[in-house]
Amino acid sequence: MSHVRIVDQTLRDGQQSLWGMRMQAGMCLPVAPLIDRAGYDTVDLVGSSMFEIMVRDAQEDPWAGLDMIAAAMPRSRIRAGTRNTGIVSMSVTPDALMDLWVATLCRHGVRSFWIYDVLHWNIAKTHRMAKVAKEFDAQVVAALMFTDSPVHTDAFYAEKAKLLGGSGDVDRLILYDTAGVLTPARCRTLIPAIQAACPGRELEIHCHNTIGIAPLTYLEAIGLGIDIIHTCSRPLANGASLPSVEVTLRNLKLGGHSHDIDASVLAPIAQNFEEVAQAAGFPVGVPNEYDIALFEHQIPGGMTGTLRNQLEKQGMADRLPDVLREVALVRRDMGYPGMATPFSQLVGTLAVMNVINGERYRTIPDEVVQYACGHYGAPVAPIDGDLLDRIMATPRAKELRGTEPTQRSVAELKAEFGGDISDEDLLLRSLIAQPFIDKMKAAGAPARDFRRYNDPVLDKVAKLMTAATARNLEIASGDFRLNLKR
């Protein structure tokens, strides 16, 4: 029997999968002290796309929000995640900005990083960023991004595990399954292969419960020696997200395993997020049915809604099954890239374009050209010959072929914005357009709480307060009297 440690994904991957990264600081601050007391090994909190959403959609300063949450969880090790080649859009970010991202997050209280490269090609970049994190005594977890394909064999992952985990700047490896297609049967061969390639290195496992098999996979992994698993609070678990911590603890107990989680705090944490979801109109996670088609397209659960929205804009929502079938074909044609950012988006976008256009690969996005030209690293398997010919015939490919992504220093990047800006502002300006940042700054400090109820009367009062210019306002109706003063 094992003593199992748990990484909490409620505030990062849970809300990313179900709420589209729209969790504001005030939505979790009321229960942050409870999360801090829960006994989690690590609390995952930060991703660059979440910063972008906070600024653009919520007009909230993500640096201030991070500081507020970190201060409320002084006992917790807070984690951030990042690609080793990019934080800005789907393209490749200069190395200097990547290193600045890690260092600046460390200065704001982050003490753990999981770093990934979907192609498992730019491993030297992972180690370079790990060294930056180590300057701040932060933990580094290097990711093995799981996908099921003819080329992603046990031997493939064992080789990558040896390269990633063979250095002292990486503390742990993580087997990361975005699509939820890692089965217990595959674990029985894959996990021992990774362990043999990297003996003594701790291994975490992160599985989305997209088709309901993740809890079974976790139990199998624990039996094979992995004792660090990832879960979410129930309202932000299941569906496109990860297994719930509540069911996981029950499974651990029935399996004879122990853990450090204080279960008494889980109900009030869940209640907080249920109330936030109801007030904000966000979904709560429910288990999905087992759908074998997922093993073909391997689209992460949260992306299905994005694909549906793209089709709805074209009046083609009924074509989603066609798009999912096309995703499987595009994924094969592109050389089986792992279905995580940026390649899940690139494969999905190409599939939608193919269905909408009625012709395969008539339109080739710029990022796909960059991929074919090696800017992200070498494809895991060869790109289909016909597709490669179409890509290389584009004017953009002629510009990019034989080139490498532009590398600029922090000073050069700051000079583009006038030079005299903070590291935090440089990162934000690299992520998002200035008008959105101006609106965010005008909105003031992040709220420390979130209204948990919808009341049409209060909504009308709020509108009155906005419209009225007088210093005093009196409303009378029968025995009811309301006085408002500025």
Side-chain angles (χ1 to χ4, degrees):
M1 301 300 105
S2 300
H3 184 77
V4 178
R5 289 169 283 169
I6 297 179
V7 174
D8 180 56
Q9 288 288 346
T10 307
L11 307 184
R12 207 276 301 172
D13 209 355
Q15 67 108 352
Q16 178 173 337
S17 298
L18 296 177
W19 290 3
M21 297 178 281
R22 292 174 292 172
M23 182 185 289
Q24 297 168 243
M27 295 176 177
C28 66
L29 268 173
V31 292
L34 296 180
I35 296 173
D36 194 45
R37 281 173 34 201
Y40 289 111
D41 175 87
T42 309
V43 177
D44 201 350
L45 181 61
V46 181
S48 62
S49 295
M50 295 163 59
F51 271 41
E52 183 179 348
I53 295 296
M54 281 298 96
V55 174
R56 188 186 68 210
D57 295 350
Q59 293 80 52
E60 180 168 295
D61 183 349
W63 293 114
L66 171 58
D67 291 342
M68 291 161 64
I69 297 169
M73 297 194 295
R75 291 177 289 188
S76 296
R77 178 165 52 194
I78 294 173
R79 176 175 291 180
T82 182
R83 275 192 294 146
N84 65 3
T85 57
I87 58 169
V88 182
S89 72
M90 299 294 113
S91 297
V92 178
T93 302
D95 292 347
L97 199 61
M98 296 303 306
D99 294 348
L100 183 68
W101 172 243
V102 172
T104 308
L105 285 172
C106 286
R107 289 196 290 269
H108 284 266
V110 172
R111 284 299 175 267
S112 177
F113 289 86
W114 74 277
I115 305 173
Y116 75 99
D117 169 20
V118 182
L119 298 179
H120 301 92
W121 177 260
N122 294 292
I123 289 175
K125 290 182 181 287
T126 295
H127 288 299
R128 189 201 73 247
M129 293 172 63
K131 287 181 173 63
V132 176
K134 285 301 173 186
E135 293 176 6
F136 295 87
D137 198 29
Q139 178 194 69
V140 176
V141 183
L144 296 165
M145 303 300 290
F146 180 77
T147 191
D148 187 32
S149 84
V151 294
H152 288 87
T153 63
D154 293 352
F156 172 92
Y157 284 112
E159 176 193 1
K160 303 307 179 184
K162 187 173 183 179
L163 293 171
L164 286 167
S167 171
D169 51 41
V170 170
D171 300 289
R172 297 177 184 173
L173 300 178
I174 178 171
L175 186 54
Y176 202 101
D177 175 24
T178 59
V181 294
L182 178 59
T183 65
R186 181 67 188 276
C187 283
R188 294 177 199 125
T189 59
L190 176 60
I191 291 174
I194 294 170
Q195 292 167 330
C198 207
R201 188 70 69 199
E202 284 192 317
L203 183 59
E204 301 180 12
I205 188 167
H206 175 113
C207 294
H208 286 244
N209 202 24
T210 319
I211 51 175
I213 65 172
L216 294 173
T217 300
Y218 278 1
L219 292 174
E220 188 69 35
I222 291 167
L224 292 165
I226 291 181
D227 59 8
I228 307 170
I229 62 177
H230 293 215
T231 66
C232 295
S233 176
R234 180 175 278 119
L236 284 154
N238 297 311
S241 184
L242 293 89
S244 73
V245 64
E246 292 86 351
V247 167
T248 298
L249 295 189
R250 187 157 62 245
N251 288 344
L252 292 178
K253 180 179 180 180
L254 293 173
H257 306 295
S258 59
H259 59 80
D260 292 323
I261 301 300
D262 178 1
S264 70
V265 303
L266 299 183
I269 291 172
Q271 181 180 353
N272 173 79
F273 293 119
E274 287 171 0
E275 292 176 355
V276 168
Q278 182 177 10
F282 294 161
V284 295
V286 294
N288 285 336
E289 294 179 324
Y290 184 84
D291 183 357
I292 201 169
L294 185 68
F295 289 91
E296 294 296 323
H297 60 72
Q298 297 189 37
I299 282 286
M303 262 199 70
T304 304
T306 301
L307 298 180
R308 185 180 290 109
N309 290 339
Q310 290 175 334
L311 290 170
E312 285 176 350
K313 290 178 181 178
Q314 302 295 325
M316 301 172 68
D318 60 318
R319 301 294 301 278
L320 181 61
D322 296 333
V323 167
L324 294 179
R325 284 190 292 270
E326 182 65 15
V327 164
L329 299 176
V330 172
R331 178 172 170 262
R332 179 200 64 194
D333 291 349
M334 287 183 64
Y336 296 105
M339 295 301 281
T341 301
F343 300 112
S344 54
Q345 290 89 340
L346 298 188
V347 170
T349 298
L350 263 179
V352 170
M353 288 179 174
N354 289 350
V355 170
I356 290 174
N357 291 336
E359 177 187 342
R360 304 192 76 221
Y361 306 126
R362 190 174 80 190
T363 305
I364 305 292
D366 191 63
E367 290 83 5
V368 174
V369 178
Q370 293 179 50
Y371 166 68
C373 290
H375 282 207
Y376 295 98
V380 179
I383 299 173
D384 174 78
D386 290 339
L387 173 58
L388 187 59
D389 287 344
R390 280 181 175 258
I391 294 172
M392 291 307 173
T394 64
R396 185 63 171 149
K398 294 172 183 176
E399 294 175 15
L400 294 178
R401 188 184 302 175
T403 68
E404 293 185 357
T406 303
Q407 294 292 344
R408 290 170 292 172
S409 69
V410 170
E412 290 171 328
L413 292 165
K414 284 189 175 183
E416 293 182 13
F417 302 105
D420 187 22
I421 62 172
S422 67
D423 293 341
E424 289 83 355
D425 277 351
L426 172 61
L427 289 161
L428 287 186
R429 291 191 187 191
S430 299
L431 286 167
I432 196 162
Q434 186 63 41
F436 292 108
I437 297 174
D438 292 340
K439 289 182 180 179
M440 173 205 79
K441 291 184 176 180
R448 300 194 63 87
D449 202 347
F450 183 78
R451 202 175 85 185
R452 295 158 195 282
Y453 44 83
N454 290 311
D455 189 325
V457 174
L458 287 181
D459 288 340
K460 291 178 180 178
V461 170
K463 290 179 181 178
L464 273 174
M465 290 299 291
T466 302
T469 58
R471 296 187 59 84
N472 296 282
L473 178 65
E474 182 175 306
I475 302 170
S477 175
D479 293 334
F480 174 78
R481 188 176 299 274
L482 173 67
N483 287 286
L484 300 176
K485 296 182 180 180
R486 292 191 185 278

